[in-house]
Amino acid sequence: MTRKRLIAGNWKMHGSFAESRQLVAALRDGVGAEDRALMLLCPPYVYLNAVRDWLQGSNIALGAQDLSDRSGTGAFTGEVSGAMLRDLGCTHVIVGHSERRALYDESDAVVASKFKAAQQAGLIPVLCVGETLEQREAGHTQATVQRQVAAVIDAAGVAAFGKAVIAYEPVWAIGTGRTATPEQAEEVHALIRAMIAERDATIASGLPILYGGSVKGANARSLFAMKDIDGGLVGGASLVATEFLEIFRAGI
Ligand code: PEP
C-alpha cells in the first residue's frame, strides 16, 4: 500500500506571535497541492487559533502538541480537551512525546488515555515512542518500543491504529544533532509495523510511521527512502522555513 507521507513540525515552546506569523507565511508560499505528502504544523496552544486563520486556503494541516486525558468538560484547571482542539480546526495531536514522558511523568497508561481521548474527539493521535540512550546501550531498544506500543494496543485495541500515526523518536536523537542512521531507524519502524501486522495486516500496511530526531534538510531524503519510514516529526528544523521546506520536499 502507498502511504501518504506526513511531515510534521513540533514547535514546542518556541516563537512569538510575530515569528509564528512569519513562519507560516513562508511555509504557505512553499507548499502547493501535493498528493504525496501532507505538511502538519503543531504550534503552542495559544497560537493555534491564529495559525488556523493564517493557514486558511492552504494545504497545510494544523495539530496540537498535547491534550488532556479527560474527555468532556470539567474542573481540570489548565487542561485542554480534544474537543476544544477539534473546535479550533486541529486534525492531529501529538501524544506521548518523550519530553512529556520524561519531564511531566507521563506513564504509558496516561499516554494511552490521551490516545483514546484524541480519537474520541475525532483527532488523529501521533503516538511518540522511543528509547533513551541508556536503554539502547543496554540492548533494550526493542523491548522499550514494544512496551510503549503494546500499552496503547491493550488500551485502545489494534483497530484504533487505523486512524493513528506512530512516530519513532529515539530520545538520544531529539534536539541533539545526532540522527539515527536510516538503517537504525528502519529496524525499529519495521519492528513496529510487524507488531501491528501480527494483529491486523491491513491496518499495519496503512499505518504511517514517522521518524523523529534531528531530521534536517540534509538527511531527510535518505531517511524517507526507507521502506517503513513514512515521513518525519521535526522539532528544531521546523522553526526555520527554508529547512522545513527542504525536508517537506524530500517527502514528495
Ligand atoms: C521533536 O521535537 O520531536 C524532535 C524530533 O526534535 P528535533 O527535530 O529538534 O530533534
Side-chain angles (χ1 to χ4, degrees):
M1 177 188 275
T2 359
R3 294 176 295 270
K4 187 165 178 156
R5 293 235 173 83
L6 179 64
I7 313 297
N10 173 12
W11 296 3
K12 311 193 187 191
M13 197 171 77
H14 288 297
S16 64
F17 188 81
E19 284 164 346
S20 302
R21 180 158 48 194
Q22 269 180 3
L23 179 57
V24 172
L27 293 173
R28 276 192 70 130
D29 283 348
V31 175
E34 317 292 352
D35 287 338
R36 294 258 301 141
L38 175 68
M39 180 183 280
L40 170 71
L41 305 183
C42 301
Y45 284 140
V46 289
Y47 300 141
L48 280 169
N49 200 33
V51 173
R52 188 263 314 264
D53 289 348
W54 300 329
L55 288 177
Q56 287 294 331
S58 76
N59 296 300
I60 303 175
L62 184 67
Q65 299 173 19
D66 188 25
L67 83 166
S68 176
D69 58 345
R70 311 284 181 143
S71 294
T73 56
F76 305 114
T77 302
E79 290 291 276
V80 175
S81 73
M84 291 168 181
L85 299 175
R86 262 312 264 162
D87 203 21
L88 282 186
C90 290
T91 51
H92 294 68
V93 60
I94 298 170
V95 299
H97 191 280
S98 63
E99 287 152 18
R100 303 284 330 161
R101 291 179 190 262
L103 303 175
Y104 302 97
D105 287 331
E106 286 192 10
S107 62
D108 286 339
V110 168
V111 172
S113 297
K114 290 189 171 193
F115 182 100
K116 290 205 306 186
Q119 289 193 327
Q120 273 161 18
L123 294 163
I124 298 175
V126 179
L127 169 67
C128 299
V129 297
E131 80 288 359
T132 61
L133 189 57
E134 294 71 45
Q135 287 166 329
R136 174 161 283 264
E137 286 175 345
H140 296 157
T141 299
Q142 291 200 359
T144 303
V145 170
Q146 279 171 330
R147 191 203 72 230
Q148 291 168 333
V149 175
V152 180
I153 299 176
D154 291 348
V158 75
F161 286 84
K163 285 196 178 144
V165 173
I166 294 182
Y168 168 56
E169 299 208 299
V171 180
W172 47 271
I174 298 179
T176 58
R178 188 179 161 190
T179 320
T181 64
E183 293 72 24
Q184 280 175 322
E186 172 61 21
E187 196 182 347
V188 180
H189 282 233
L191 171 88
I192 295 170
R193 201 176 303 287
M195 237 186 122
I196 304 289
E198 263 170 34
R199 292 153 175 97
D200 191 315
T202 309
I203 287 183
S205 74
L207 174 69
I209 308 179
L210 314 183
Y211 167 78
S214 299
V215 178
K216 306 274 182 260
N219 58 29
R221 203 168 287 281
S222 59
L223 286 159
F224 300 166
M226 304 309 283
K227 187 166 79 58
D228 292 295
I229 301 185
D230 304 310
L233 178 53
V234 185
S238 74
L239 299 167
V240 182
T242 47
E243 190 75 23
F244 195 45
L245 284 168
E246 196 180 333
I247 296 170
F248 181 69
R249 280 194 282 271
I252 56 181

